[in-house]
Amino acid sequence: MEGQCLKHVSTSEAGRPIPWRGCGRQETSESIPTSDIENGLNMRSSKGSHGLSMYTWLCVLLSTVSAMLMGYDIGIMSGALLFVRESLRLNELQVEVIVGSLNLVAAVGSLVSGHVAGRLGRRRALLMSSLLFLLGNVVLAVSPNFLCLLAGRVVTGLGVGFAMMIAPLYSAEISPASLRGFLVSWTDVFVNVGILLGYLFGFAFEFVSPRYNWRLMLGAGALPAMFLGAAVLLKVLPESPRWLVLQGREDEAREVMKRVVCNGDEEEAQERLDEILAANKEELQQQVEEKMHITNDVQAGSSARPVYLVLKIRRLLASPLARMYMIAIAINFFQQASGIDALVYYSPVVFGQAGIQSKAGKLGATVGMGVTKLTFVLVATSLLDRVGRKKLLYYSAGGVAACLSSVAGTFMLMGLNSAKGDSMLSVAVKANAHPISPMAVAITILAVFAYVAFFSIGLGPISYVLTSEVFPLRHRSTAVGVSIFVNRAVSGSVALIFLTIAKAITPAGTFLLFAGITVLGILFVWLVVPETKGKSLEEIAHYLSAKSDGLPAASTEMQPAQY
């Protein structure tokens, strides 16, 4: 599928490369010698290769503080609940509501944040994220009862939804194309930094008086929220240049492009601005044409409103936008349906059988998993713009499927594969009733850590990267919000139904099911997902919007676009 034809590149009078013509078309202009083609492409790829400015780096790091707050909220709650439950005398149902409400509320928050970022701007969405975390953590820290605790959890859950949407979106829109994968993947880095900090703070505050140690754990999240809010209010963080273009504020957009994206290069800033303007104009023109087609179809048939709606839905499902949604939603689905939460759920039992019986020991093992995840996410940041998104997804998903299969096989060999009663309890009872080979335990623990490593090098960070890349400007914030909604909804569903599935098909069968879903994800990436490495957001949107250019759907060679 790849490399089926050679794209001829010509240059304009200004010396800029003029975009590709589609495969399978007859060329009407004179072809340019191969040496000129290579020179033109090299000239284009060298544009924007000034390196990463300190200001760009500062903006990305500040924006991903919201992701760190999300990770901290997830990490700290597991330790804090041990003391909250005793202090506020919560029953089992109340604890489940506190834990399970996060994903549901975050899903709603991601939808709301998409509209906020589209209407009010990316900076205001970041500010709202910080305010939600600030308010939520303060309420959690001072809660006198279950209802106040739940209210604080709901507010922080909305903050999680905002953070998951706005952090990768903002990073993508202020990043140079050649470094976008590296910079956007820091969203996942900071999520894991936050989770690890949550574990460490939970461990540190465990030795403080139980009367108020959990309040210190939960209240500590307000400090970075205040820091992020101050950065937005003091205008340390600029508005996204692409959102400014949508508002017709082109001069401001050019200035931000020059300072943040183009490292002070005024000529390149103007070129990038022209590219955004041209892509925006093309998108508007496509929308007008779509409405005209629908209107003509209705007039040719019936003028009834139901007919209009049916035709509109049919055209929407067949549109390039539908393909973009399919890519982003599927990547987020496969990320969570690979069973990351389920495997972590079983890890305490595995660690216990390895001889780690104390709470401190199990917490240490959990911290070890957090360190492994963070380490390999950092490895992924250095590979995304060199190896590419698709290859990393192949390696990652393939490794995840193999590790899940290994865990399933070891569970069966260890005699822990029970479907009777509560699956977690059944595994623990069986583990205590049967002698277990140290080798089998070692293999299982190794598989768990390897699973975390493979997940973190691809499926973890790349879902954020691709989701923020594949949509055109006018749809981007809302579409990213919808994609993150799916991510949180699937995560919550897997956690909710995991025990039921394990009872029905055994724990090993459940892990094999997750492995099978991951294999389907590999097939989907191969058939549908394009390689976006090194391309501007406008080039990616144009490529995915092309209807008759003769390109295979999953071609990994994406050429500069014509507007």
Side-chain angles (χ1 to χ4, degrees), residues 458-487:
L459 283 170
I462 291 177
S463 66
Y464 293 112
V465 175
L466 279 175
T467 299
S468 64
E469 288 180 331
V470 298
F471 295 104
L473 179 57
R474 288 185 173 272
H475 295 274
R476 190 172 295 138
S477 61
T478 300
V480 171
V482 171
S483 303
I484 299 301
F485 170 85
V486 172
N487 184 292

Side-chain angles (χ1 to χ4, degrees), residues 4 20 24 27 57 68 171 198 225 303 353 403 427 460 472 506 551:
Q4 291 181 343
W20 50 273
E27 302 293 344
W57 187 230
M68 185 185 72
S171 297
S303 60
Q353 293 311 306
C403 292
V427 169
T506 75
L551 282 171

Side-chain angles (χ1 to χ4, degrees), residues 274-292:
D274 291 343
E275 186 180 22
I276 297 171
L277 289 169
N280 191 40
K281 181 179 178 182
E282 182 188 43
E283 187 182 348
L284 281 172
Q285 186 176 353
Q286 288 178 350
Q287 290 179 356
V288 171
E289 289 175 356
E290 286 292 331
K291 290 180 180 179
M292 289 179 61

Side-chain angles (χ1 to χ4, degrees), residues 54-105:
M54 290 301 296
Y55 184 57
T56 307
W57 187 230
L58 174 66
C59 291
V60 170
L61 290 181
L62 285 175
S63 66
T64 48
V65 168
S66 63
M68 185 185 72
L69 286 165
M70 176 182 74
Y72 181 82
D73 185 74
I74 295 170
I76 198 64
M77 188 55 72
S78 59
L81 273 178
L82 297 174
F83 303 98
V84 173
R85 184 172 184 173
E86 295 179 6
S87 179
L88 300 184
R89 298 177 181 175
L90 304 182
N91 58 42
E92 196 68 35
L93 177 61
Q94 290 173 327
V95 171
E96 290 179 355
V97 169
I98 292 295
V99 174
S101 61
L102 181 67
N103 281 319
L104 176 62
V105 179

Side-chain angles (χ1 to χ4, degrees), residues 277-507:
L277 289 169
N280 191 40
K281 181 179 178 182
E282 182 188 43
E283 187 182 348
L284 281 172
Q285 186 176 353
Q286 288 178 350
Q287 290 179 356
V288 171
E289 289 175 356
E290 286 292 331
K291 290 180 180 179
M292 289 179 61
H293 284 310
I294 295 172
T295 302
N296 292 337
D297 289 344
V298 171
Q299 290 176 348
S302 168
S303 60
R305 182 172 178 82
V307 174
Y308 177 83
L309 292 176
V310 169
L311 289 171
K312 186 174 181 179
I313 292 173
R314 188 172 67 182
R315 281 192 173 274
L316 179 63
L317 292 176
S319 68
L321 186 62
R323 181 187 172 195
M324 298 171 191
Y325 268 101
M326 178 176 65
I327 291 171
I329 287 174
I331 289 296
N332 280 277
F333 169 81
F334 286 119
Q335 183 207 47
Q336 292 300 323
S338 65
I340 180 68
D341 293 334
L343 196 63
V344 172
Y345 181 77
Y346 265 99
S347 61
V349 173
V350 178
F351 295 145
Q353 293 311 306
I356 305 174
Q357 300 295 339
S358 67
K359 288 184 179 180
K362 290 181 180 179
L363 179 59
T366 304
V367 171
M369 288 183 62
V371 171
T372 301
K373 196 168 188 296
L374 176 59
T375 300
F376 280 89
V377 171
L378 286 170
V379 172
T381 64
S382 65
L383 296 177
L384 274 165
D385 292 311
R386 296 190 319 185
V387 176
R389 283 60 154 159
K390 290 190 72 168
K391 285 185 179 178
L392 277 182
L393 280 173
Y394 292 149
Y395 299 147
S396 174
V400 163
C403 292
L404 286 167
S405 301
S406 298
V407 172
T410 310
F411 262 63
M412 289 186 283
L413 292 174
M414 291 168 67
L416 305 181
N417 196 35
S418 172
K420 296 179 180 179
D422 179 89
S423 58
M424 184 71 172
L425 180 60
S426 300
V427 169
V429 170
K430 275 186 165 285
N432 291 326
H434 293 79
I436 300 171
S437 165
M439 180 63 70
V441 174
I443 292 173
T444 306
I445 293 177
L446 180 63
V448 170
F449 275 79
Y451 170 86
V452 170
F454 277 114
F455 180 88
S456 302
I457 207 169
L459 283 170
I462 291 177
S463 66
Y464 293 112
V465 175
L466 279 175
T467 299
S468 64
E469 288 180 331
V470 298
F471 295 104
L473 179 57
R474 288 185 173 272
H475 295 274
R476 190 172 295 138
S477 61
T478 300
V480 171
V482 171
S483 303
I484 299 301
F485 170 85
V486 172
N487 184 292
R488 291 297 86 200
V490 174
S491 175
S493 299
V494 169
L496 184 65
I497 66 175
F498 173 68
L499 288 178
T500 303
I501 296 177
K503 290 176 187 177
I505 62 175
T506 75

Side-chain angles (χ1 to χ4, degrees), residues 5-78:
C5 68
L6 175 68
K7 306 283 190 285
H8 298 289
V9 180
S10 58
T11 55
S12 66
E13 292 180 2
R16 299 182 194 170
I18 292 209
W20 50 273
R21 303 174 178 90
C23 294
R25 291 185 181 180
Q26 296 294 325
E27 302 293 344
T28 58
S29 60
E30 294 183 2
S31 299
I32 301 199
T34 304
S35 60
D36 289 348
I37 295 174
E38 292 174 350
N39 290 337
L41 290 175
N42 289 337
M43 179 176 64
R44 180 180 177 89
S45 63
S46 67
K47 273 285 187 185
S49 58
H50 311 288
L52 182 62
S53 72
M54 290 301 296
Y55 184 57
T56 307
W57 187 230
L58 174 66
C59 291
V60 170
L61 290 181
L62 285 175
S63 66
T64 48
V65 168
S66 63
M68 185 185 72
L69 286 165
M70 176 182 74
Y72 181 82
D73 185 74
I74 295 170
I76 198 64
M77 188 55 72
S78 59

Side-chain angles (χ1 to χ4, degrees), residues 176-234:
S178 60
L179 295 170
R180 189 175 57 250
F182 167 73
L183 293 174
V184 176
S185 61
W186 276 83
T187 298
D188 199 37
V189 171
F190 269 63
V191 170
N192 287 283
V193 167
I195 292 174
L196 192 56
L197 285 175
Y199 291 153
L200 294 174
F201 270 67
F203 183 78
F205 285 123
E206 183 179 356
F207 302 101
V208 180
S209 170
R211 293 180 57 187
Y212 49 83
N213 62 353
W214 63 271
R215 298 185 186 276
L216 292 174
M217 293 180 193
L218 299 176
L223 297 177
M226 293 172 62
F227 181 73
L228 175 59
V232 176
L233 291 174
L234 296 174

